[in-house]
Amino acid sequence: WQARTSLMLMMTYPGKKMLFMGTEYAQFREWDYDNSLEWFMLDYPNHKQFREYVAALNSFYLGHSELWDIDFDEEGFRWLLADEADKNVVAYQRLNKKGKYLTVLLNFSGGEQRVTIPVDKALRLESVFDTGNLSEQQKNVTVYKNDGKYYADITLSPFSGVIYNRITKN
């Protein structure tokens, strides 16, 4: 799960993306030019599932301009939680040129973590991609109002990542 969460960070954070040979299926041995890649690892279910996750993550990335449209400008990125080192959690938003955005939450802790994130006025947040180890309650998150501002309380599973899209009241 840690590798899935780390790859989600890489694919949703600003900047160009690069996987090294063998990363796409979680090869054990570091690649070296004297030996071929360990393709036999795909015979093991965990490595095959990891490869499927990477393929799905790549497809999600390509299909969501929020993750690459404004890649090298501060307008394309907004921190929500940057100072949660004690929880090993980060949260941020990626925006495209049309103002649409995705909200990304990542838990690098081996324990469940509860966080509160600020959100704009919305009915709820809907999970559109995750690392595969979320509880059902994390799929759709209700937004609430407190002192004129909107928030969402989210409990993240250990070593998990989730990408939310907002569902408005329109």
Side-chain angles (χ1 to χ4, degrees):
W1 298 114
Q2 293 132 317
R4 287 178 180 227
T5 306
S6 295
L7 282 177
M8 184 179 280
L9 170 69
M10 181 187 78
M11 294 302 286
T12 60
Y13 205 76
K16 293 303 170 204
K17 316 307 174 197
M18 184 175 90
L19 290 179
F20 200 66
M21 292 184 268
T23 302
E24 69 274 16
Y25 60 89
Q27 175 176 283
F28 285 139
R29 184 176 47 81
E30 182 177 310
W31 179 81
D32 107 51
Y33 64 90
D34 284 332
N35 294 298
S36 66
L37 294 175
E38 298 177 326
W39 291 109
F40 69 89
M41 300 297 286
L42 291 172
D43 294 336
Y44 296 96
N46 287 342
H47 294 271
K48 184 178 179 187
Q49 290 168 2
F50 191 79
R51 182 178 180 202
E52 291 166 357
Y53 170 78
V54 172
L57 184 58
N58 284 337
S59 179
F60 183 84
Y61 174 84
L62 290 174
H64 290 83
S65 63
E66 298 92 328
L67 300 175
W68 46 262
D69 198 18
I70 312 176
D71 216 16
F72 295 104
D73 189 300
E74 64 187 45
E75 296 299 316
F77 182 87
R78 184 182 310 140
W79 278 112
L80 297 178
L81 297 175
D83 299 320
E84 296 286 341
D86 57 324
K87 292 183 177 183
N88 293 324
V89 171
V90 293
Y92 49 87
Q93 292 175 330
R94 292 300 311 273
L95 298 85
N96 67 13
K97 291 176 183 174
K98 295 178 181 176
K100 286 185 61 181
Y101 63 87
L102 295 172
T103 301
V104 181
L105 281 85
L106 302 163
N107 177 13
F108 293 99
S109 163
E112 193 174 89
Q113 297 295 338
R114 183 174 172 86
V115 295
T116 300
I117 61 168
V119 296
D120 66 353
K121 186 177 179 178
L123 180 61
R124 65 175 196 213
L125 299 175
E126 176 186 49
S127 169
V128 290
F129 196 88
D130 65 73
T131 49
N133 57 336
L134 296 181
S135 67
E136 199 53 43
Q137 70 191 35
Q138 293 171 261
K139 300 286 183 178
N140 294 296
V141 177
T142 301
V143 173
Y144 64 92
K145 189 175 183 178
N146 187 11
D147 291 331
K149 296 181 182 178
Y150 294 87
Y151 300 93
D153 292 331
I154 301 168
T155 302
L156 296 167
S157 302
F159 302 119
S160 68
V162 60
I163 303 171
Y164 289 108
N165 194 3
R166 65 188 175 109
I167 306 297
T168 60
K169 292 184 178 183
N170 297 341

